[in-house]
């Protein structure tokens, strides 16, 4: 009798939750619009999924501010790092097809692959790449400033790229790790990552408006331009065009399409009766495989705690409920995906506003409403907005602490095997630094220290102001190397003429 009572109670709870879901969304438009006004947002698109169905979808604001073109649920935005769950799913599909195993080493699938330490070579698996436990950490400068012709050429740099964290026993977010996953998928299938994403995921999930190319995106009738805030006003930005890093950041999608993505995960890999992923892989992907912050909450009303990571998804406790989520950001776009597996609902928020936590604010507001925790009160939040980067005039040489050499002496090529070659040139009494992907001016600080600054507008994918120091050969006083302040200090040796 006790078992029957428990089942009836559970059925009653689920029925009540389903009824309340729509009830809790009353006047949600008003609250979203108020938040948008507070953030001075240009445009957003929202979708909510419950019990396998899309129960809410709507666009707000403008996809083209200058021409006052409205956002719709089908407007395409860049989703940034929310691409990672797609690459993770692709690995799961290839494992399902018997083409790889996630407990194997990457070197089994990428010939001659080698890390910088024996421990990484002996212990790191594909699963460690999925949940950011490889020890690679941030190596973004390697592929952004020095893009390779293809991802396999990028893998040749790994022996020279320093370990950033303890393999297996620590968590360190790594875009490079997902580049490796894309390379593995391409190697075992002999197809491009773009083709695989379309064939294995976008087409089966009926995500017909989604793509993996900015060029393809801007050909569509309903796409958004990228924007960012500067001194309280929205400004159109340059598109960020992913290259080697497509597996971690390249997908462009709409709220309606992403709702199908949420439906897949909330149904543990099954979409409209077809198993796209195995249930085990989907469950593992949404599990806490790596601990980011396992500390208990510090105060009774703390919203989020116990942060972890699965395969392309963050995990945490939100208001006492298990939440799976991820954020994404590329130049002029930010996004948030949220899943509550136990309560069977999910939320997607896409925006054309960079440098803001707007997607998190709106998704948290909707989450609290869906969970019935809003107490009919407006959502209280702390707003985060910061200005986009803008080039500033370059200061002249610091006469008080002049360079130790003439500017001509600093000129030449400097090389690091983990990154590539940069060239220092002199133009109009200024030093310039040229990477394969960018050219910056070097502003003098003091002695042999400089800082890079862009000479024109660039996509908002990084802060371009890097510190550089020229080191001297103590034997003859000549300039022998250039140290760039990334990854703890990367040394580029001056090439001999």
């Amino acid at each position: 009798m006790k078992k029957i009572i428990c089942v009836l109670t559970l059925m009653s709870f689920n029925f009540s939750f389903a009824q309340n879901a729509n009830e809790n969304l009353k006047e949600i438009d008003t609250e979203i619009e108020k938040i948008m006004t507070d953030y001075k947002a240009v445009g957003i698109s929202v979708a909510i999924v419950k019990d396998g169905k899309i129960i809410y979808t709507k666009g707000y604001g403008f996809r083209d501010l200058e021409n006052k073109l409205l956002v719709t649920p089908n407007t395409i935005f860049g989703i940034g790092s929310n691409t990672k769950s797609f690459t993770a799913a692709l690995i799961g599909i290839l494992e399902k097809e018997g083409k790889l195993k996630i407990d194997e080493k990457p070197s089994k699938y990428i010939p001659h692959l080698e890390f910088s330490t024996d421990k990484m070579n002996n212990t790191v698996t594909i699963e460690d790449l999925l949940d950011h436990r490889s020890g690679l950490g941030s190596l973004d400068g390697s592929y952004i400033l020095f893009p390779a012709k293809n991802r396999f050429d990028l893998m040749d740099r790994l022996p020279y790229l320093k370990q950033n964290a303890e393999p297996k026993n620590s968590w360190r977010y790594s875009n490079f790790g997902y580049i490796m996953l894309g390379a593995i998928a391409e190697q075992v299938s002999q197809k491009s990552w773009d083709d695989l994403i379309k064939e294995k995921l976008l087409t089966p999930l009926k995500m017909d408006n989604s793509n993996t190319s900015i060029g393809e995106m801007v050909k569509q009738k309903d796409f958004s331009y990228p924007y960012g805030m500067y001194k309280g006003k929205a400004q159109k930005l340059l598109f960020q065009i992913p290259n080697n890093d497509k597996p971690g950041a390249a997908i462009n999608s709409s709220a309606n399409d992403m709702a199908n993505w949420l439906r897949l995960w909330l149904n543990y890999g099954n979409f409209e009766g077809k198993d796209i992923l195995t249930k085990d892989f989907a469950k593992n992907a949404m599990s806490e495989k790596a601990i980011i912050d396992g500390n208990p909450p510090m105060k009774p009303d703390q919203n989020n705690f116990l942060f972890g990571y699965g395969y392309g998804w963050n995990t945490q406790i939100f208001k006492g409920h298990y939440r799976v989520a991820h954020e994404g950001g590329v130049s002029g776009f930010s996004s948030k995906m949220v899943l509550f597996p136990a309560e069977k609902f999910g939320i997607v928020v896409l925006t054309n506003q960079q440098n803001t936590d707007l997607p998190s604010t709106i998704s948290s507001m909707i989450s609290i409403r869906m969970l019935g925790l809003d107490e009919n009160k407006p959502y209280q939040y702390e707003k985060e907005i910061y200005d986009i980067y803008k080039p500033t005039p370059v200061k002249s040489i610091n006469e008080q602490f002049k360079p130790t050499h003439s500017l001509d002496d600093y000129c030449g090529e400097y090389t690091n095997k983990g990154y590539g070659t940069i060239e220092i040139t002199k133009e109009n009494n200024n030093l310039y630094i040229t990477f394969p992907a960018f050219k910056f001016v070097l502003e003098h600080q003091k002695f042999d220290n400089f800082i890079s600054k862009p000479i024109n507008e660039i996509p908002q994918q990084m802060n371009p102001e890097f510190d550089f120091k020229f080191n001297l050969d103590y034997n003859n006083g000549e300039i022998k190397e250039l140290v760039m302040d990334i990854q703890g200090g990367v040394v580029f040796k001056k090439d001999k003429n």
Side-chain angles (χ1 to χ4, degrees):
M1 185 65 183
K2 288 183 179 179
K3 291 183 179 179
I4 296 175
I5 292 173
C6 289
V7 171
L8 289 175
T9 302
L10 180 61
M11 290 175 62
S12 174
F13 171 79
N14 286 337
F15 178 72
S16 174
F17 188 87
Q19 277 190 318
N20 290 336
N22 289 323
E23 182 73 19
N24 291 338
L25 296 181
K26 282 186 176 180
E27 298 185 5
I28 189 175
D29 286 356
T30 302
E31 191 155 13
I32 289 176
E33 287 167 357
K34 284 181 178 178
I35 294 173
M36 285 187 66
T37 299
D38 187 27
Y39 277 83
K40 298 182 180 179
V42 178
I44 71 167
S45 194
V46 177
I48 305 172
V49 171
K50 177 73 179 78
D51 294 327
K53 297 179 180 179
I54 301 174
I55 64 170
Y56 184 91
T57 178
K58 188 172 181 178
Y60 301 81
F62 301 102
R63 61 184 178 87
D64 183 338
L65 181 60
E66 291 74 16
N67 294 304
K68 297 296 185 285
L69 300 180
L70 297 174
V71 171
T72 75
N74 291 317
T75 299
I76 307 170
F77 298 78
I79 70 168
S81 283
N82 276 303
T83 299
K84 288 181 172 63
S85 59
F86 286 81
T87 295
L90 178 58
I91 294 297
I93 291 170
L94 294 173
E95 184 176 49
K96 179 171 175 275
E97 294 175 353
K99 294 180 179 178
L100 58 79
K101 293 183 179 179
I102 66 170
D103 60 357
E104 295 280 5
K105 296 176 184 177
S107 57
K108 181 174 180 178
Y109 306 100
I110 300 180
H112 313 299
L113 185 142
E114 185 179 346
F115 293 104
S116 61
T117 69
D118 289 339
K119 184 170 184 179
M120 294 178 76
N121 289 325
N122 294 332
T123 63
V124 171
T125 64
I126 292 175
E127 184 177 33
D128 296 323
L129 299 175
L130 288 166
D131 58 25
H132 299 297
R133 288 186 299 135
S134 67
L136 287 172
S138 177
L139 298 170
D140 295 354
S142 180
Y143 62 84
I144 293 177
L145 298 171
F146 303 86
K149 290 182 179 179
N150 57 62
R151 293 183 192 98
F152 294 102
D153 287 346
L154 202 62
M155 299 302 107
D156 292 338
R157 302 178 187 175
L158 278 169
Y160 310 101
L161 293 171
K162 292 186 294 187
Q163 175 182 315
N164 279 288
E166 184 68 19
K168 293 285 188 184
N169 298 321
S170 63
W171 183 90
R172 188 70 61 85
Y173 195 83
S174 179
N175 289 309
F176 203 104
Y178 270 76
I179 293 173
M180 290 185 66
L181 291 170
I184 291 169
E186 291 177 327
Q187 181 70 10
V188 301
S189 63
Q190 293 300 297
K191 295 181 180 179
S192 72
W193 176 86
D194 302 73
D195 289 344
L196 288 168
I197 289 294
K198 184 175 182 179
E199 174 191 337
K200 305 288 187 182
L201 291 167
L202 300 184
T203 299
L205 295 175
K206 301 177 181 179
M207 298 178 68
D208 300 328
N209 291 320
S210 303
N211 57 67
T212 59
S213 161
I214 294 296
E216 188 176 347
M217 173 184 175
V218 298
K219 292 178 183 177
Q220 308 304 310
K221 291 182 179 180
D222 192 355
F223 75 91
S224 176
Y225 284 103
Y227 295 91
M229 297 299 295
Y230 186 71
K231 294 184 177 180
K233 293 184 179 180
Q235 295 195 8
K236 184 184 284 188
L237 304 178
L238 296 177
F239 283 104
Q240 178 179 329
I241 302 177
N243 186 357
N244 300 141
D245 54 332
K246 275 192 167 188
I251 289 178
N252 310 299
S253 191
S254 67
N256 275 344
D257 274 13
M258 291 303 294
N260 284 352
W261 186 239
L262 300 184
R263 290 170 63 197
L264 171 75
W265 288 98
L266 289 169
N267 204 27
Y268 287 89
N270 184 282
F271 180 76
E272 296 184 350
K274 182 179 179 180
D275 289 328
I276 306 296
L277 301 169
T278 66
K279 187 173 183 179
D280 283 345
F281 185 89
K283 183 178 179 181
N284 283 323
M286 294 187 286
S287 298
E288 187 171 297
K289 292 294 183 179
I291 297 174
I292 301 173
D293 182 356
N295 292 321
M298 301 301 293
K299 52 185 180 179
D301 61 345
Q302 185 171 323
N303 283 348
N304 305 337
F305 54 97
L306 298 181
F307 296 90
Y309 205 91
Y311 305 156
W313 290 103
N314 286 104
T315 62
Q316 63 188 143
I317 303 300
F318 177 86
K319 290 283 189 178
H321 297 261
Y322 188 81
R323 183 173 84 164
V324 179
H326 210 283
E327 297 179 345
V330 288
S331 183
F333 298 102
S334 56
S335 61
K336 183 86 173 193
M337 308 293 144
V338 176
L339 302 168
F340 286 87
E343 292 79 12
K344 299 186 183 303
F345 78 87
I347 303 159
V348 54
V349 181
L350 307 178
T351 79
N352 56 13
Q353 183 180 18
Q354 198 192 17
N355 54 295
T356 175
D357 63 346
L358 175 62
S360 291
T361 296
I362 290 180
S363 64
S364 293
M365 178 273 289
I366 296 173
S367 297
I368 289 172
R369 278 174 166 264
M370 290 290 291
L371 293 168
L373 302 174
D374 63 312
E375 299 178 347
N376 294 316
K377 297 178 181 178
Y379 178 59
Q380 300 297 314
Y381 58 89
E382 294 182 4
K383 182 173 58 178
E384 180 181 317
I385 301 177
Y386 54 93
D387 282 347
I388 58 172
Y389 180 88
K390 284 280 189 180
T392 57
V394 178
K395 298 176 183 178
S396 57
I397 296 293
N398 183 345
E399 295 294 334
Q400 186 177 358
F401 303 101
K402 290 183 178 181
T404 61
H405 290 61
S406 70
L407 295 186
D408 291 315
D409 290 341
Y410 296 94
C411 296
E413 292 187 342
Y414 297 76
T415 300
N416 179 288
K417 291 183 178 180
Y419 290 81
T421 298
I422 54 181
E423 184 179 12
I424 305 296
T425 56
K426 177 188 171 185
E427 301 174 30
N428 300 321
N429 208 39
N430 279 315
L431 291 180
Y432 285 79
I433 183 166
T434 302
F435 300 91
F438 296 95
K439 182 178 181 179
F440 301 142
V441 63
L442 287 179
E443 180 181 87
H444 182 243
Q445 302 299 294
K446 63 179 182 179
F447 302 128
D448 296 323
N449 296 281
F450 294 78
I451 188 170
S452 59
K453 289 192 172 184
I455 53 181
N456 46 39
E457 185 182 1
I458 63 172
Q460 299 283 317
Q461 65 191 103
M462 62 178 176
N463 184 337
E465 294 190 0
F466 300 101
D467 290 323
F468 290 89
K469 182 185 179 186
F470 292 89
N471 287 337
L472 309 181
D473 187 323
Y474 290 111
N475 293 320
N476 55 29
E478 294 179 356
I479 297 165
K480 67 172 183 177
E481 61 191 24
L482 177 61
V483 181
M484 183 178 182
D485 187 22
I486 53 174
Q487 203 189 352
V490 175
V491 177
F492 291 80
K493 297 287 187 180
K494 190 174 186 181
D495 298 345
K496 296 180 179 180
N497 295 329

